[in-house]
Amino acid sequence: MSVTTVDAAKPNYIITTDATYPPFDFQDSSNQYTGIDQEILKTIAKREGFTYTLKPMSFNAATQSVTSGQADGIIAGMSITDERKAVFDFGTPYYKSGIAWAVKKGSNIKSLNDLKGKTVALKTGTAGADYALSIQKKYGFKVTYFNDSDTLYNDVINDNTQATFGDLPVLQYSIKNGTKLKVMNADSPYESGWYGFAVKKGQNKQLLTSFNKGYASIKKDGTYDKIIKKYLGAPASDFTGKKSDNTSLLGILKANDSAFMRGLWQTLLLTILGIVLASVWGIILGIMGVSQNSVVRGISTTLIYIFRGLPLMVLAFFIYIGLPGVIGAKIPAFTAGLITLILNEGAYTGAFVRGGFEAVDKGQMEAARSLGFTYNRSMRKVIMPQGLKIMVPSFINQFIITLKDTSILSAIGILELTQTGTLIVSRNSQGFRVWAIVAVIYLVVITLLTLLSNWVEKRTRA
């Protein structure tokens, strides 16, 4: 899902971000995208007369969206490094930050030397991760990676890992919001560096120029300082909402009911379209798989082998990020997600459809042919009706798998139920409660889908 600010008379850009990076990028208690980055971008866009469509996703996916041409720019608390300068053009640096490290409250780790032999949790693509890797050999710790901050923090809190590195204001915001971590070097952050707004190298010069001009304007008149003070000086409750909205299952559900409903609707839409279209595609592959023509059978076998063999997330990234660079056209995230489901789920469907046809007693084909039926008519009138009845349980199982697989598509920025939960958790740090709600919603939907499928199965066998 995206947030859109569009005026047909003004240039419109697609801007991507990591919306799980408070206080720079996150959703507030009204489920609106906000933070230092977002307010800077919104203010500059208004002053410079351009509009934008916001595409939130994981940081790595966001950067790749820009390099692949799916997005025009990125603002996501991204540190300016020499490596990134090779592929991005950066605007005027807009925020100077430093790296801090944190441990669980009450931890017996007191210095970096105590990390020897321990495991450190890092968020992929961050300056904190880069700094930790630069000192890893010196202090002898191991590392593991996460795509979202809340999971990372809880990994440290649960003692699966013993420390984490990150941008100081990000860690401080999370702790202010109730995360049980302790920053070890708040007064002396390491390797202070700058954040920058970026576009693909050599492209979108007008956008970069507008950003720089607008940034100079908000710095000059004090608007920038007001934005920084608003997000770093205010209590976290100003953005997370009332305490009662975040400390109970009912409170979280009530405060975020519209967000959960939008996420559920997106999940159901993907599931329904995915099931229908993947079933059609799978049946075609299955029919091809029992064709008399060896070439047609070979094509079916190859397609099923390829798309069953590719992990769903890899296929989603290939279609959404890799393919646009080949065809020279942007692919909307929802379309890319739907194509991913059709190809992947359709391959599994094709395999059991082919198996279902082959499971029909061979005598049925012989009997049909002895009556003068052609091969195609025998398949259509005799084999397929019997085979489809055999396949009904497999179809039901595939329907449920499709529903659950939609959660993986959050990686390319589709705001379905899982991504909705991730955004809420990044704001209120209530991982257990939020994921409990999401789990119950999935279970209810899966139960209803199973009951419906069982009813259909009984009707087809009646």
PDB file of all heavy atoms in Angstrom, residues 113-132:
ATOM      1  N   ASN A 113      34.710  -5.195  25.217  1.00  0.00           N
ATOM      2  CA  ASN A 113      35.555  -6.375  25.424  1.00  0.00           C
ATOM      3  C   ASN A 113      34.747  -7.570  25.914  1.00  0.00           C
ATOM      4  O   ASN A 113      35.106  -8.716  25.670  1.00  0.00           O
ATOM      5  CB  ASN A 113      36.668  -6.059  26.418  1.00  0.00           C
ATOM      6  CG  ASN A 113      37.688  -5.076  25.856  1.00  0.00           C
ATOM      7  OD1 ASN A 113      38.088  -5.203  24.699  1.00  0.00           O
ATOM      8  ND2 ASN A 113      38.098  -4.098  26.651  1.00  0.00           N
ATOM      9  N   ASP A 114      33.643  -7.291  26.609  1.00  0.00           N
ATOM     10  CA  ASP A 114      32.807  -8.373  27.130  1.00  0.00           C
ATOM     11  C   ASP A 114      32.009  -9.078  26.040  1.00  0.00           C
ATOM     12  O   ASP A 114      31.363 -10.102  26.301  1.00  0.00           O
ATOM     13  CB  ASP A 114      31.825  -7.828  28.185  1.00  0.00           C
ATOM     14  CG  ASP A 114      32.537  -7.306  29.416  1.00  0.00           C
ATOM     15  OD1 ASP A 114      33.649  -7.790  29.707  1.00  0.00           O
ATOM     16  OD2 ASP A 114      31.987  -6.402  30.084  1.00  0.00           O
ATOM     17  N   LEU A 115      32.028  -8.543  24.817  1.00  0.00           N
ATOM     18  CA  LEU A 115      31.277  -9.146  23.719  1.00  0.00           C
ATOM     19  C   LEU A 115      32.031 -10.301  23.051  1.00  0.00           C
ATOM     20  O   LEU A 115      31.487 -10.956  22.171  1.00  0.00           O
ATOM     21  CB  LEU A 115      30.952  -8.091  22.651  1.00  0.00           C
ATOM     22  CG  LEU A 115      29.970  -6.989  23.068  1.00  0.00           C
ATOM     23  CD1 LEU A 115      29.799  -5.995  21.928  1.00  0.00           C
ATOM     24  CD2 LEU A 115      28.629  -7.582  23.458  1.00  0.00           C
ATOM     25  N   LYS A 116      33.264 -10.558  23.481  1.00  0.00           N
ATOM     26  CA  LYS A 116      34.048 -11.626  22.857  1.00  0.00           C
ATOM     27  C   LYS A 116      33.320 -12.963  22.974  1.00  0.00           C
ATOM     28  O   LYS A 116      32.912 -13.372  24.067  1.00  0.00           O
ATOM     29  CB  LYS A 116      35.422 -11.728  23.511  1.00  0.00           C
ATOM     30  CG  LYS A 116      36.336 -12.731  22.816  1.00  0.00           C
ATOM     31  CD  LYS A 116      37.746 -12.705  23.391  1.00  0.00           C
ATOM     32  CE  LYS A 116      38.648 -13.669  22.640  1.00  0.00           C
ATOM     33  NZ  LYS A 116      40.040 -13.651  23.173  1.00  0.00           N
ATOM     34  N   GLY A 117      33.104 -13.612  21.828  1.00  0.00           N
ATOM     35  CA  GLY A 117      32.423 -14.903  21.803  1.00  0.00           C
ATOM     36  C   GLY A 117      30.902 -14.796  21.843  1.00  0.00           C
ATOM     37  O   GLY A 117      30.201 -15.796  21.700  1.00  0.00           O
ATOM     38  N   LYS A 118      30.400 -13.575  22.049  1.00  0.00           N
ATOM     39  CA  LYS A 118      28.951 -13.364  22.115  1.00  0.00           C
ATOM     40  C   LYS A 118      28.410 -13.061  20.710  1.00  0.00           C
ATOM     41  O   LYS A 118      29.163 -12.886  19.759  1.00  0.00           O
ATOM     42  CB  LYS A 118      28.618 -12.197  23.049  1.00  0.00           C
ATOM     43  CG  LYS A 118      29.157 -12.349  24.474  1.00  0.00           C
ATOM     44  CD  LYS A 118      28.435 -13.452  25.217  1.00  0.00           C
ATOM     45  CE  LYS A 118      28.708 -13.398  26.723  1.00  0.00           C
ATOM     46  NZ  LYS A 118      30.130 -13.489  27.089  1.00  0.00           N
ATOM     47  N   THR A 119      27.082 -12.989  20.588  1.00  0.00           N
ATOM     48  CA  THR A 119      26.449 -12.687  19.307  1.00  0.00           C
ATOM     49  C   THR A 119      25.754 -11.336  19.370  1.00  0.00           C
ATOM     50  O   THR A 119      25.041 -11.037  20.328  1.00  0.00           O
ATOM     51  CB  THR A 119      25.416 -13.770  18.935  1.00  0.00           C
ATOM     52  OG1 THR A 119      26.051 -15.049  18.901  1.00  0.00           O
ATOM     53  CG2 THR A 119      24.804 -13.483  17.566  1.00  0.00           C
ATOM     54  N   VAL A 120      25.971 -10.525  18.337  1.00  0.00           N
ATOM     55  CA  VAL A 120      25.409  -9.183  18.253  1.00  0.00           C
ATOM     56  C   VAL A 120      24.331  -9.162  17.171  1.00  0.00           C
ATOM     57  O   VAL A 120      24.533  -9.688  16.069  1.00  0.00           O
ATOM     58  CB  VAL A 120      26.513  -8.157  17.929  1.00  0.00           C
ATOM     59  CG1 VAL A 120      25.919  -6.808  17.573  1.00  0.00           C
ATOM     60  CG2 VAL A 120      27.476  -8.021  19.103  1.00  0.00           C
ATOM     61  N   ALA A 121      23.185  -8.562  17.474  1.00  0.00           N
ATOM     62  CA  ALA A 121      22.080  -8.459  16.523  1.00  0.00           C
ATOM     63  C   ALA A 121      22.189  -7.152  15.744  1.00  0.00           C
ATOM     64  O   ALA A 121      22.361  -6.090  16.340  1.00  0.00           O
ATOM     65  CB  ALA A 121      20.746  -8.519  17.256  1.00  0.00           C
ATOM     66  N   LEU A 122      22.085  -7.235  14.418  1.00  0.00           N
ATOM     67  CA  LEU A 122      22.224  -6.057  13.568  1.00  0.00           C
ATOM     68  C   LEU A 122      21.049  -5.952  12.609  1.00  0.00           C
ATOM     69  O   LEU A 122      20.498  -6.960  12.165  1.00  0.00           O
ATOM     70  CB  LEU A 122      23.521  -6.133  12.751  1.00  0.00           C
ATOM     71  CG  LEU A 122      24.824  -6.319  13.538  1.00  0.00           C
ATOM     72  CD1 LEU A 122      25.984  -6.508  12.580  1.00  0.00           C
ATOM     73  CD2 LEU A 122      25.063  -5.122  14.452  1.00  0.00           C
ATOM     74  N   LYS A 123      20.670  -4.705  12.295  1.00  0.00           N
ATOM     75  CA  LYS A 123      19.639  -4.477  11.285  1.00  0.00           C
ATOM     76  C   LYS A 123      20.308  -4.283   9.943  1.00  0.00           C
ATOM     77  O   LYS A 123      21.210  -3.450   9.796  1.00  0.00           O
ATOM     78  CB  LYS A 123      18.782  -3.263  11.640  1.00  0.00           C
ATOM     79  CG  LYS A 123      17.609  -3.072  10.693  1.00  0.00           C
ATOM     80  CD  LYS A 123      16.670  -1.984  11.157  1.00  0.00           C
ATOM     81  CE  LYS A 123      15.486  -1.843  10.209  1.00  0.00           C
ATOM     82  NZ  LYS A 123      14.542  -0.802  10.641  1.00  0.00           N
ATOM     83  N   THR A 124      19.866  -5.036   8.948  1.00  0.00           N
ATOM     84  CA  THR A 124      20.509  -5.014   7.644  1.00  0.00           C
ATOM     85  C   THR A 124      20.495  -3.623   7.037  1.00  0.00           C
ATOM     86  O   THR A 124      19.507  -2.899   7.103  1.00  0.00           O
ATOM     87  CB  THR A 124      19.808  -5.977   6.666  1.00  0.00           C
ATOM     88  OG1 THR A 124      18.412  -5.652   6.621  1.00  0.00           O
ATOM     89  CG2 THR A 124      19.956  -7.405   7.117  1.00  0.00           C
ATOM     90  N   GLY A 125      21.624  -3.251   6.437  1.00  0.00           N
ATOM     91  CA  GLY A 125      21.714  -2.009   5.691  1.00  0.00           C
ATOM     92  C   GLY A 125      21.917  -0.752   6.502  1.00  0.00           C
ATOM     93  O   GLY A 125      21.946   0.343   5.937  1.00  0.00           O
ATOM     94  N   THR A 126      22.069  -0.866   7.822  1.00  0.00           N
ATOM     95  CA  THR A 126      22.181   0.334   8.658  1.00  0.00           C
ATOM     96  C   THR A 126      23.637   0.694   8.928  1.00  0.00           C
ATOM     97  O   THR A 126      24.544  -0.137   8.810  1.00  0.00           O
ATOM     98  CB  THR A 126      21.465   0.136  10.005  1.00  0.00           C
ATOM     99  OG1 THR A 126      22.090  -0.955  10.710  1.00  0.00           O
ATOM    100  CG2 THR A 126      19.998  -0.190   9.796  1.00  0.00           C
ATOM    101  N   ALA A 127      23.832   1.950   9.341  1.00  0.00           N
ATOM    102  CA  ALA A 127      25.174   2.401   9.706  1.00  0.00           C
ATOM    103  C   ALA A 127      25.659   1.643  10.937  1.00  0.00           C
ATOM    104  O   ALA A 127      26.867   1.382  11.092  1.00  0.00           O
ATOM    105  CB  ALA A 127      25.170   3.906   9.971  1.00  0.00           C
ATOM    106  N   GLY A 128      24.726   1.293  11.825  1.00  0.00           N
ATOM    107  CA  GLY A 128      25.090   0.521  13.006  1.00  0.00           C
ATOM    108  C   GLY A 128      25.676  -0.826  12.634  1.00  0.00           C
ATOM    109  O   GLY A 128      26.652  -1.293  13.244  1.00  0.00           O
ATOM    110  N   ALA A 129      25.078  -1.467  11.626  1.00  0.00           N
ATOM    111  CA  ALA A 129      25.595  -2.755  11.164  1.00  0.00           C
ATOM    112  C   ALA A 129      26.986  -2.592  10.566  1.00  0.00           C
ATOM    113  O   ALA A 129      27.889  -3.402  10.821  1.00  0.00           O
ATOM    114  CB  ALA A 129      24.640  -3.357  10.144  1.00  0.00           C
ATOM    115  N   ASP A 130      27.170  -1.527   9.773  1.00  0.00           N
ATOM    116  CA  ASP A 130      28.483  -1.289   9.156  1.00  0.00           C
ATOM    117  C   ASP A 130      29.553  -1.069  10.226  1.00  0.00           C
ATOM    118  O   ASP A 130      30.671  -1.597  10.119  1.00  0.00           O
ATOM    119  CB  ASP A 130      28.425  -0.070   8.231  1.00  0.00           C
ATOM    120  CG  ASP A 130      27.557  -0.312   7.004  1.00  0.00           C
ATOM    121  OD1 ASP A 130      27.331  -1.488   6.667  1.00  0.00           O
ATOM    122  OD2 ASP A 130      27.101   0.679   6.400  1.00  0.00           O
ATOM    123  N   TYR A 131      29.218  -0.289  11.249  1.00  0.00           N
ATOM    124  CA  TYR A 131      30.206  -0.023  12.295  1.00  0.00           C
ATOM    125  C   TYR A 131      30.532  -1.296  13.071  1.00  0.00           C
ATOM    126  O   TYR A 131      31.702  -1.568  13.363  1.00  0.00           O
ATOM    127  CB  TYR A 131      29.696   1.052  13.257  1.00  0.00           C
ATOM    128  CG  TYR A 131      30.685   1.335  14.371  1.00  0.00           C
ATOM    129  CD1 TYR A 131      31.828   2.086  14.114  1.00  0.00           C
ATOM    130  CD2 TYR A 131      30.507   0.808  15.643  1.00  0.00           C
ATOM    131  CE1 TYR A 131      32.768   2.318  15.108  1.00  0.00           C
ATOM    132  CE2 TYR A 131      31.437   1.039  16.646  1.00  0.00           C
ATOM    133  CZ  TYR A 131      32.564   1.788  16.379  1.00  0.00           C
ATOM    134  OH  TYR A 131      33.498   2.008  17.363  1.00  0.00           O
ATOM    135  N   ALA A 132      29.505  -2.080  13.401  1.00  0.00           N
ATOM    136  CA  ALA A 132      29.735  -3.311  14.153  1.00  0.00           C
ATOM    137  C   ALA A 132      30.671  -4.247  13.388  1.00  0.00           C
ATOM    138  O   ALA A 132      31.578  -4.860  13.969  1.00  0.00           O
ATOM    139  CB  ALA A 132      28.404  -4.002  14.441  1.00  0.00           C
TER     140      ALA A 132
END
